[in-house]
Amino acid sequence: MSTDRTAPGYVPRLLSAAAFLTNRATEESLVELRLTHERTVILRLLSESSATEDQLCVSSGLASACVRDCVLALQHCGYIASAPGAAWMITPAGATISVTADHTEARLMSLVDNDVESLRRELHALITALTPPR
């Protein structure tokens, strides 16, 4: 990759790499909390109100099987519990971990926003390392 910022394709590749790294860092941070992106979506919805799996599918846009896997995993972690009427509700532990996940995501995004030049250098080094020799 050229270090010339005006080279064709430089900015799109840089932005693509930044998005990839931000997503990867977010995923790694969530794994430490026993979460995934999909599970955080479900937790956020349940922090607003109890919901059935069907309601979670509609609200989240996630497939039924994915929602089912998420609620079972979240229940196993103690982050949600069954509520009356075949609904799910967030537990105090789930509310706490949801806030922690939100803060983790916000912190990662602020690092990207606040240190653009450093990010540019790191991404350039990464892209250079991943680019096959010509």
Side-chain angles (χ1 to χ4, degrees):
M1 177 173 166
S2 171
T3 58
D4 178 8
R5 294 181 191 181
T6 61
Y10 178 81
V11 171
R13 286 193 306 256
L14 186 65
L15 293 174
S16 177
F20 173 79
L21 290 177
T22 301
N23 186 46
R24 183 69 179 189
T26 301
E27 288 174 356
E28 288 175 5
S29 296
L30 292 175
V31 165
E32 294 172 7
L33 303 173
R34 297 189 303 183
L35 294 175
T36 62
H37 172 71
E38 292 82 3
R39 291 177 194 172
T40 59
V41 168
I42 300 298
L43 278 178
R44 286 182 185 126
L45 290 170
L46 292 175
S47 69
E48 296 171 9
S49 68
S50 298
T52 64
E53 287 181 34
D54 289 340
Q55 292 167 328
L56 291 170
C57 289
V58 171
S59 298
S60 68
L62 297 170
S64 177
C66 181
V67 169
R68 183 71 183 147
D69 289 344
C70 288
V71 296
L72 291 175
L74 292 168
Q75 180 186 35
H76 179 75
C77 293
Y79 298 157
I80 65 172
S82 57
W88 293 96
M89 62 182 204
I90 197 165
T91 63
T96 300
I97 209 71
S98 181
V99 169
T100 302
D102 289 344
H103 284 120
T104 299
E105 240 175 25
R107 182 181 51 78
L108 288 169
M109 293 310 295
S110 72
L111 289 174
V112 170
D113 291 341
N114 292 333
D115 196 5
V116 175
E117 187 58 30
S118 173
L119 176 64
R120 188 196 68 77
R121 283 190 307 274
E122 289 180 33
L123 288 173
H124 180 269
L126 175 66
I127 291 169
T128 300
L130 295 176
T131 304
R134 294 180 192 211

